[in-house]
Amino acid sequence: MKHIVILAFAVLAFTATFAQGRTDFPMKPEMTEIWDPEVTVVTPGVTPQDAPSDAIILFNGTNLSQEWLNEAGGEPGWKVTDGCVTVEKGTGTITTKRQFNDFQLHIEWRSPSEVIGESQGRGNSGVFLQGIYELQVLDNYNNRTYRNGQAGSFYKQYPPLVNVCKGPGVWQMYDVIYTAPRFNTNGTYFTPPTVTVLHNGVLVQNHVALRGPTPYVGIPEYFVKPHGAGPIILQDHGNPVSYRNIWIREL
Ligand code: MG
């Protein structure tokens, strides 16, 4: 009850302040303290990459069948071994069964230890947010490509702020904070999707506003078909990129 009274005072005080630029009565510290609802307690992982207590585990290293499908809606063709899953060339993308709107995503990935190819041909895969916005996965450790197509980029839209790639065969991680777009009735974005990305703990995308899905050829489309929640999709680009420890928190 005490908290409700204080909150009521705080609302009155704020209203008075913003309406008139001043308050008509002396302010006390507790008038601007907001207690309810209490901020939810979440137990963090022992190390930052461990899933916190409220995360949905999308892949824990043992099986894909619980949370993932192949393109045809069947059992994914990618192989699970040694606690990770690896792209099986030609079997197509894998897609989460669940659909998401706003989220925090953690995903670890590893470029093939055997270095084959160059530029876009080396360790190419990708993480598609809501199924259509690609966060590029690529081996850019001593491998130059166009800057808006390298690891940590939103393909053909935003290059990463820095190149934080670890070498082939070494585990890396992305932490993604994603806010889904909201649409006008005519199909344009009311607010575009916005994304922040940490690559190996370093900021590479700072709350960028995506311009739409990205075609391989052409410029990003501003006008997309309005969409609701979408899955996380991992790309089969023909290279044996591996993934592990994938978890997500809906916001
Ligand atoms: Mg890709």
Side-chain angles (χ1 to χ4, degrees):
M1 187 61 192
K2 177 189 160 203
H3 295 155
I4 291 168
V5 171
I6 290 171
L7 184 63
F9 266 112
V11 170
L12 273 173
F14 273 115
T15 306
T17 303
F18 287 109
Q20 303 167 20
R22 63 184 172 80
T23 55
D24 293 328
F25 50 86
M27 293 283 287
K28 291 181 177 164
E30 55 269 29
M31 288 176 175
T32 46
E33 294 172 0
I34 300 171
W35 285 73
D36 292 309
E38 185 180 357
V39 176
T40 306
V41 175
V42 171
T43 308
V46 176
T47 56
Q49 61 266 39
D50 289 345
S53 57
D54 63 346
I56 296 167
I57 308 298
L58 293 177
F59 177 63
N60 67 0
T62 55
N63 85 79
L64 277 180
S65 53
Q66 197 174 329
E67 295 286 344
W68 299 83
L69 298 167
N70 66 14
E71 284 171 14
E75 196 78 10
W78 296 16
K79 288 216 169 76
V80 178
T81 47
D82 301 327
C84 66
V85 62
T86 302
V87 174
E88 190 71 15
K89 184 179 179 178
T91 61
T93 61
I94 62 168
T95 304
T96 57
K97 294 178 183 175
R98 297 176 198 254
Q99 313 267 315
F100 304 98
N101 280 302
D102 306 337
F103 57 81
Q104 173 187 353
L105 171 71
H106 175 91
I107 184 163
E108 299 180 21
W109 55 276
R110 184 181 64 186
S111 303
S113 49
E114 189 184 357
V115 175
I116 297 172
E118 57 179 2
S119 188
Q120 292 286 307
R122 184 181 300 181
N124 196 331
S125 184
V127 181
F128 286 82
L129 313 178
Q130 291 201 305
I132 52 176
Y133 306 106
E134 184 185 8
L135 171 59
Q136 178 68 298
V137 169
L138 197 67
D139 176 9
N140 287 115
Y141 185 81
N142 295 329
N143 176 40
R144 186 96 195 270
T145 188
Y146 41 92
R147 56 188 274 110
N148 58 349
Q150 68 184 62
S153 70
F154 279 96
Y155 193 74
K156 299 279 181 77
Q157 295 195 43
Y158 293 99
L161 295 170
V162 285
N163 179 348
V164 206
C165 279
K166 295 182 179 179
V170 181
W171 283 103
Q172 314 196 41
M173 55 186 180
Y174 282 152
D175 288 281
V176 180
I177 296 119
Y178 177 82
T179 303
R182 272 62 173 169
F183 290 91
N184 294 308
T185 46
N186 68 359
T188 56
Y189 286 137
F190 176 65
T191 53
T194 54
V195 202
T196 294
V197 180
L198 303 177
H199 181 188
N200 296 327
V202 178
L203 186 70
V204 293
Q205 297 291 350
N206 186 12
H207 195 65
V208 295
L210 299 180
R211 296 194 286 266
T214 39
Y216 176 51
V217 179
I219 54 174
E221 291 282 346
Y222 276 89
F223 302 98
V224 295
K225 222 172 121 207
H227 60 83
I232 303 296
I233 295 181
L234 303 181
Q235 185 185 43
D236 169 12
H237 205 280
N239 304 141
V241 174
S242 300
Y243 291 93
R244 72 175 185 189
N245 192 20
I246 309 172
W247 53 261
I248 195 164
R249 296 179 63 246
E250 292 179 292
L251 304 177

